[in-house]
PDB file of all heavy atoms in Angstrom:
ATOM      1  N   LYS N  85     110.006  80.733 101.917  1.00 96.00           N
ATOM      2  CA  LYS N  85     110.267  79.982 103.142  1.00 96.00           C
ATOM      3  C   LYS N  85     109.508  78.641 103.166  1.00 96.00           C
ATOM      4  O   LYS N  85     110.001  77.644 103.687  1.00 96.00           O
ATOM      5  CB  LYS N  85     109.907  80.801 104.381  1.00 96.00           C
ATOM      6  CG  LYS N  85     110.741  82.055 104.564  1.00 96.00           C
ATOM      7  CD  LYS N  85     112.216  81.768 104.786  1.00 96.00           C
ATOM      8  CE  LYS N  85     112.520  81.355 106.196  1.00 96.00           C
ATOM      9  NZ  LYS N  85     114.000  81.240 106.420  1.00 96.00           N
ATOM     10  N   PRO N  89     112.791  76.192 103.193  1.00 95.00           N
ATOM     11  CA  PRO N  89     112.934  76.745 104.556  1.00 95.00           C
ATOM     12  C   PRO N  89     114.362  77.184 104.897  1.00 95.00           C
ATOM     13  O   PRO N  89     114.549  78.068 105.742  1.00 95.00           O
ATOM     14  CB  PRO N  89     112.493  75.592 105.465  1.00 95.00           C
ATOM     15  CG  PRO N  89     111.623  74.743 104.590  1.00 95.00           C
ATOM     16  CD  PRO N  89     112.181  74.854 103.202  1.00 95.00           C
ATOM     17  N   GLY N  90     115.345  76.619 104.211  1.00 94.00           N
ATOM     18  CA  GLY N  90     116.724  76.974 104.515  1.00 94.00           C
ATOM     19  C   GLY N  90     117.180  78.276 103.881  1.00 94.00           C
ATOM     20  O   GLY N  90     118.252  78.807 104.233  1.00 94.00           O
ATOM     21  N   THR N  91     116.399  78.813 102.939  1.00 96.00           N
ATOM     22  CA  THR N  91     116.751  80.095 102.324  1.00 96.00           C
ATOM     23  C   THR N  91     116.614  81.215 103.366  1.00 96.00           C
ATOM     24  O   THR N  91     115.645  81.257 104.115  1.00 96.00           O
ATOM     25  CB  THR N  91     115.852  80.390 101.124  1.00 96.00           C
ATOM     26  OG1 THR N  91     116.121  79.429 100.104  1.00 96.00           O
ATOM     27  CG2 THR N  91     116.109  81.788 100.574  1.00 96.00           C
ATOM     28  N   ILE N  92     117.581  82.099 103.397  1.00 97.00           N
ATOM     29  CA  ILE N  92     117.592  83.179 104.385  1.00 97.00           C
ATOM     30  C   ILE N  92     116.981  84.436 103.766  1.00 97.00           C
ATOM     31  O   ILE N  92     117.381  84.863 102.669  1.00 97.00           O
ATOM     32  CB  ILE N  92     119.024  83.448 104.876  1.00 97.00           C
ATOM     33  CG1 ILE N  92     119.528  82.224 105.654  1.00 97.00           C
ATOM     34  CG2 ILE N  92     119.093  84.708 105.736  1.00 97.00           C
ATOM     35  CD1 ILE N  92     120.975  82.297 106.051  1.00 97.00           C
ATOM     36  N   ASP N 118     113.905  86.785 108.355  1.00 97.00           N
ATOM     37  CA  ASP N 118     114.960  86.254 109.218  1.00 97.00           C
ATOM     38  C   ASP N 118     115.782  87.371 109.855  1.00 97.00           C
ATOM     39  O   ASP N 118     116.118  87.315 111.044  1.00 97.00           O
ATOM     40  CB  ASP N 118     115.871  85.314 108.436  1.00 97.00           C
ATOM     41  CG  ASP N 118     115.157  84.034 108.018  1.00 97.00           C
ATOM     42  OD1 ASP N 118     114.362  83.522 108.831  1.00 97.00           O
ATOM     43  OD2 ASP N 118     115.378  83.576 106.885  1.00 97.00           O
ATOM     44  N   PHE N 119     116.126  88.382 109.057  1.00 97.00           N
ATOM     45  CA  PHE N 119     116.921  89.503 109.559  1.00 97.00           C
ATOM     46  C   PHE N 119     116.384  90.798 108.983  1.00 97.00           C
ATOM     47  O   PHE N 119     115.967  90.850 107.820  1.00 97.00           O
ATOM     48  CB  PHE N 119     118.406  89.364 109.151  1.00 97.00           C
ATOM     49  CG  PHE N 119     119.080  88.134 109.689  1.00 97.00           C
ATOM     50  CD1 PHE N 119     119.263  87.021 108.882  1.00 97.00           C
ATOM     51  CD2 PHE N 119     119.534  88.091 111.004  1.00 97.00           C
ATOM     52  CE1 PHE N 119     119.877  85.883 109.365  1.00 97.00           C
ATOM     53  CE2 PHE N 119     120.155  86.956 111.502  1.00 97.00           C
ATOM     54  CZ  PHE N 119     120.325  85.845 110.679  1.00 97.00           C
ATOM     55  N   ILE N 135     128.781  86.630 108.431  1.00 95.00           N
ATOM     56  CA  ILE N 135     128.335  85.801 109.556  1.00 95.00           C
ATOM     57  C   ILE N 135     127.528  84.609 109.062  1.00 95.00           C
ATOM     58  O   ILE N 135     127.675  83.478 109.532  1.00 95.00           O
ATOM     59  CB  ILE N 135     127.507  86.657 110.529  1.00 95.00           C
ATOM     60  CG1 ILE N 135     128.400  87.685 111.233  1.00 95.00           C
ATOM     61  CG2 ILE N 135     126.792  85.789 111.561  1.00 95.00           C
ATOM     62  CD1 ILE N 135     127.648  88.703 112.065  1.00 95.00           C
ATOM     63  N   ILE N 136     126.679  84.861 108.068  1.00 95.00           N
ATOM     64  CA  ILE N 136     125.852  83.782 107.508  1.00 95.00           C
ATOM     65  C   ILE N 136     126.710  82.698 106.867  1.00 95.00           C
ATOM     66  O   ILE N 136     126.486  81.489 107.065  1.00 95.00           O
ATOM     67  CB  ILE N 136     124.859  84.360 106.487  1.00 95.00           C
ATOM     68  CG1 ILE N 136     123.798  85.222 107.192  1.00 95.00           C
ATOM     69  CG2 ILE N 136     124.176  83.254 105.691  1.00 95.00           C
ATOM     70  CD1 ILE N 136     122.917  86.012 106.235  1.00 95.00           C
ATOM     71  N   SER N 139     128.523  80.485 109.319  1.00 93.00           N
ATOM     72  CA  SER N 139     127.653  79.489 109.960  1.00 93.00           C
ATOM     73  C   SER N 139     127.155  78.457 108.970  1.00 93.00           C
ATOM     74  O   SER N 139     126.296  77.641 109.301  1.00 93.00           O
ATOM     75  CB  SER N 139     126.451  80.197 110.598  1.00 93.00           C
ATOM     76  OG  SER N 139     125.592  80.706 109.587  1.00 93.00           O
ATOM     77  N   LYS N 140     127.690  78.519 107.707  1.00 93.00           N
ATOM     78  CA  LYS N 140     127.278  77.599 106.646  1.00 93.00           C
ATOM     79  C   LYS N 140     125.767  77.721 106.351  1.00 93.00           C
ATOM     80  O   LYS N 140     125.080  76.726 106.132  1.00 93.00           O
ATOM     81  CB  LYS N 140     127.674  76.160 106.970  1.00 93.00           C
ATOM     82  CG  LYS N 140     129.168  75.948 107.120  1.00 93.00           C
ATOM     83  CD  LYS N 140     129.495  74.503 107.341  1.00 93.00           C
ATOM     84  CE  LYS N 140     130.965  74.175 107.385  1.00 93.00           C
ATOM     85  NZ  LYS N 140     131.943  75.252 107.354  1.00 93.00           N
ATOM     86  N   PHE N 141     125.272  78.964 106.411  1.00 93.00           N
ATOM     87  CA  PHE N 141     123.882  79.287 106.085  1.00 93.00           C
ATOM     88  C   PHE N 141     122.888  78.581 107.001  1.00 93.00           C
ATOM     89  O   PHE N 141     121.762  78.291 106.595  1.00 93.00           O
ATOM     90  CB  PHE N 141     123.592  78.976 104.612  1.00 93.00           C
ATOM     91  CG  PHE N 141     124.452  79.748 103.660  1.00 93.00           C
ATOM     92  CD1 PHE N 141     125.670  79.236 103.233  1.00 93.00           C
ATOM     93  CD2 PHE N 141     124.068  80.995 103.227  1.00 93.00           C
ATOM     94  CE1 PHE N 141     126.481  79.959 102.375  1.00 93.00           C
ATOM     95  CE2 PHE N 141     124.879  81.739 102.381  1.00 93.00           C
ATOM     96  CZ  PHE N 141     126.094  81.215 101.942  1.00 93.00           C
ATOM     97  N   ASP N 142     123.308  78.321 108.224  1.00 92.00           N
ATOM     98  CA  ASP N 142     122.443  77.648 109.191  1.00 92.00           C
ATOM     99  C   ASP N 142     121.934  78.696 110.189  1.00 92.00           C
ATOM    100  O   ASP N 142     122.665  79.160 111.078  1.00 92.00           O
ATOM    101  CB  ASP N 142     123.229  76.550 109.923  1.00 92.00           C
ATOM    102  CG  ASP N 142     122.316  75.660 110.763  1.00 92.00           C
ATOM    103  OD1 ASP N 142     121.294  76.161 111.268  1.00 92.00           O
ATOM    104  OD2 ASP N 142     122.636  74.471 110.914  1.00 92.00           O
ATOM    105  N   LEU N 143     120.664  79.050 110.063  1.00 90.00           N
ATOM    106  CA  LEU N 143     120.081  80.061 110.939  1.00 90.00           C
ATOM    107  C   LEU N 143     120.135  79.655 112.403  1.00 90.00           C
ATOM    108  O   LEU N 143     120.342  80.483 113.292  1.00 90.00           O
ATOM    109  CB  LEU N 143     118.606  80.290 110.542  1.00 90.00           C
ATOM    110  CG  LEU N 143     118.325  81.311 109.452  1.00 90.00           C
ATOM    111  CD1 LEU N 143     116.845  81.286 109.097  1.00 90.00           C
ATOM    112  CD2 LEU N 143     118.736  82.692 109.889  1.00 90.00           C
ATOM    113  N   ALA N 144     119.933  78.388 112.647  1.00 89.00           N
ATOM    114  CA  ALA N 144     119.909  77.905 114.038  1.00 89.00           C
ATOM    115  C   ALA N 144     121.223  78.196 114.745  1.00 89.00           C
ATOM    116  O   ALA N 144     121.244  78.551 115.933  1.00 89.00           O
ATOM    117  CB  ALA N 144     119.585  76.419 114.070  1.00 89.00           C
ATOM    118  N   ILE N 145     122.334  78.048 114.018  1.00 90.00           N
ATOM    119  CA  ILE N 145     123.652  78.300 114.622  1.00 90.00           C
ATOM    120  C   ILE N 145     123.777  79.770 115.003  1.00 90.00           C
ATOM    121  O   ILE N 145     124.194  80.126 116.103  1.00 90.00           O
ATOM    122  CB  ILE N 145     124.776  77.887 113.655  1.00 90.00           C
ATOM    123  CG1 ILE N 145     124.776  76.366 113.477  1.00 90.00           C
ATOM    124  CG2 ILE N 145     126.135  78.378 114.165  1.00 90.00           C
ATOM    125  CD1 ILE N 145     125.782  75.874 112.457  1.00 90.00           C
ATOM    126  N   ILE N 146     123.386  80.644 114.071  1.00 87.00           N
ATOM    127  CA  ILE N 146     123.515  82.095 114.332  1.00 87.00           C
ATOM    128  C   ILE N 146     122.642  82.487 115.513  1.00 87.00           C
ATOM    129  O   ILE N 146     123.092  83.186 116.446  1.00 87.00           O
ATOM    130  CB  ILE N 146     123.112  82.901 113.082  1.00 87.00           C
ATOM    131  CG1 ILE N 146     124.021  82.566 111.906  1.00 87.00           C
ATOM    132  CG2 ILE N 146     123.126  84.403 113.370  1.00 87.00           C
ATOM    133  CD1 ILE N 146     123.553  83.145 110.586  1.00 87.00           C
ATOM    134  N   LYS N 147     121.404  82.038 115.495  1.00 85.00           N
ATOM    135  CA  LYS N 147     120.453  82.514 116.516  1.00 85.00           C
ATOM    136  C   LYS N 147     120.683  81.837 117.871  1.00 85.00           C
ATOM    137  O   LYS N 147     120.381  82.422 118.916  1.00 85.00           O
ATOM    138  CB  LYS N 147     119.024  82.307 116.020  1.00 85.00           C
ATOM    139  CG  LYS N 147     118.702  83.189 114.808  1.00 85.00           C
ATOM    140  CD  LYS N 147     117.224  83.221 114.474  1.00 85.00           C
ATOM    141  CE  LYS N 147     116.946  84.232 113.369  1.00 85.00           C
ATOM    142  NZ  LYS N 147     115.494  84.389 113.093  1.00 85.00           N
ATOM    143  N   SER N 148     121.214  80.630 117.857  1.00 85.00           N
ATOM    144  CA  SER N 148     121.464  79.960 119.138  1.00 85.00           C
ATOM    145  C   SER N 148     122.533  80.696 119.934  1.00 85.00           C
ATOM    146  O   SER N 148     122.561  80.651 121.157  1.00 85.00           O
ATOM    147  CB  SER N 148     121.899  78.512 118.905  1.00 85.00           C
ATOM    148  OG  SER N 148     123.156  78.472 118.250  1.00 85.00           O
ATOM    149  N   LYS N 149     123.416  81.389 119.233  1.00 84.00           N
ATOM    150  CA  LYS N 149     124.466  82.182 119.896  1.00 84.00           C
ATOM    151  C   LYS N 149     124.012  83.619 120.141  1.00 84.00           C
ATOM    152  O   LYS N 149     124.770  84.401 120.719  1.00 84.00           O
ATOM    153  CB  LYS N 149     125.717  82.211 119.020  1.00 84.00           C
ATOM    154  CG  LYS N 149     126.325  80.850 118.725  1.00 84.00           C
ATOM    155  CD  LYS N 149     127.508  81.005 117.770  1.00 84.00           C
ATOM    156  CE  LYS N 149     128.109  79.668 117.389  1.00 84.00           C
ATOM    157  NZ  LYS N 149     129.227  79.834 116.415  1.00 84.00           N
ATOM    158  N   ALA N 150     122.795  83.948 119.697  1.00 86.00           N
ATOM    159  CA  ALA N 150     122.328  85.347 119.747  1.00 86.00           C
ATOM    160  C   ALA N 150     123.393  86.261 119.164  1.00 86.00           C
ATOM    161  O   ALA N 150     123.688  87.350 119.672  1.00 86.00           O
ATOM    162  CB  ALA N 150     121.963  85.761 121.161  1.00 86.00           C
ATOM    163  N   GLN N 151     123.984  85.788 118.058  1.00 90.00           N
ATOM    164  CA  GLN N 151     125.094  86.503 117.446  1.00 90.00           C
ATOM    165  C   GLN N 151     124.614  87.838 116.860  1.00 90.00           C
ATOM    166  O   GLN N 151     123.588  87.895 116.169  1.00 90.00           O
ATOM    167  CB  GLN N 151     125.711  85.635 116.335  1.00 90.00           C
ATOM    168  CG  GLN N 151     127.071  86.080 115.885  1.00 90.00           C
ATOM    169  CD  GLN N 151     127.751  84.991 115.057  1.00 90.00           C
ATOM    170  OE1 GLN N 151     127.231  83.873 114.927  1.00 90.00           O
ATOM    171  NE2 GLN N 151     128.919  85.309 114.502  1.00 90.00           N
ATOM    172  N   TYR N 158     116.806  90.855 114.763  1.00 95.00           N
ATOM    173  CA  TYR N 158     116.072  89.625 114.503  1.00 95.00           C
ATOM    174  C   TYR N 158     115.482  89.103 115.812  1.00 95.00           C
ATOM    175  O   TYR N 158     115.900  89.502 116.912  1.00 95.00           O
ATOM    176  CB  TYR N 158     116.946  88.560 113.834  1.00 95.00           C
ATOM    177  CG  TYR N 158     118.120  88.053 114.650  1.00 95.00           C
ATOM    178  CD1 TYR N 158     117.977  86.963 115.513  1.00 95.00           C
ATOM    179  CD2 TYR N 158     119.371  88.644 114.525  1.00 95.00           C
ATOM    180  CE1 TYR N 158     119.045  86.483 116.253  1.00 95.00           C
ATOM    181  CE2 TYR N 158     120.451  88.168 115.259  1.00 95.00           C
ATOM    182  CZ  TYR N 158     120.294  87.088 116.118  1.00 95.00           C
ATOM    183  OH  TYR N 158     121.367  86.614 116.850  1.00 95.00           O
ATOM    184  N   LEU N 159     114.495  88.220 115.689  1.00 93.00           N
ATOM    185  CA  LEU N 159     113.846  87.634 116.855  1.00 93.00           C
ATOM    186  C   LEU N 159     114.535  86.331 117.249  1.00 93.00           C
ATOM    187  O   LEU N 159     114.843  85.499 116.393  1.00 93.00           O
ATOM    188  CB  LEU N 159     112.375  87.335 116.553  1.00 93.00           C
ATOM    189  CG  LEU N 159     111.347  88.445 116.733  1.00 93.00           C
ATOM    190  CD1 LEU N 159     109.973  87.953 116.310  1.00 93.00           C
ATOM    191  CD2 LEU N 159     111.302  88.946 118.171  1.00 93.00           C
ATOM    192  N   PHE N 160     114.745  86.157 118.553  1.00 88.00           N
ATOM    193  CA  PHE N 160     115.274  84.890 119.064  1.00 88.00           C
ATOM    194  C   PHE N 160     114.749  84.692 120.470  1.00 88.00           C
ATOM    195  O   PHE N 160     114.930  85.540 121.361  1.00 88.00           O
ATOM    196  CB  PHE N 160     116.813  84.892 119.061  1.00 88.00           C
ATOM    197  CG  PHE N 160     117.405  83.649 119.670  1.00 88.00           C
ATOM    198  CD1 PHE N 160     117.180  82.412 119.068  1.00 88.00           C
ATOM    199  CD2 PHE N 160     118.155  83.708 120.827  1.00 88.00           C
ATOM    200  CE1 PHE N 160     117.726  81.249 119.616  1.00 88.00           C
ATOM    201  CE2 PHE N 160     118.703  82.550 121.389  1.00 88.00           C
ATOM    202  CZ  PHE N 160     118.473  81.316 120.775  1.00 88.00           C
ATOM    203  N   LYS N 161     114.083  83.560 120.706  1.00 82.00           N
ATOM    204  CA  LYS N 161     113.522  83.219 122.014  1.00 82.00           C
ATOM    205  C   LYS N 161     112.682  84.374 122.585  1.00 82.00           C
ATOM    206  O   LYS N 161     112.893  84.842 123.704  1.00 82.00           O
ATOM    207  CB  LYS N 161     114.623  82.836 123.000  1.00 82.00           C
ATOM    208  CG  LYS N 161     115.271  81.502 122.676  1.00 82.00           C
ATOM    209  CD  LYS N 161     116.243  81.084 123.755  1.00 82.00           C
ATOM    210  CE  LYS N 161     116.797  79.678 123.463  1.00 82.00           C
ATOM    211  NZ  LYS N 161     117.769  79.254 124.497  1.00 82.00           N
TER     212      LYS N 161
END
Side-chain angles (χ1 to χ4, degrees):
K85 296 297 281 187
T91 294
I92 294 173
D118 292 321
F119 299 100
I135 292 172
I136 291 171
S139 70
K140 299 184 175 6
F141 300 90
D142 191 328
L143 274 174
I145 293 175
I146 298 171
K147 294 192 173 185
S148 66
K149 300 176 183 177
Q151 196 166 354
Y158 64 89
L159 274 177
F160 176 64
K161 290 187 175 179

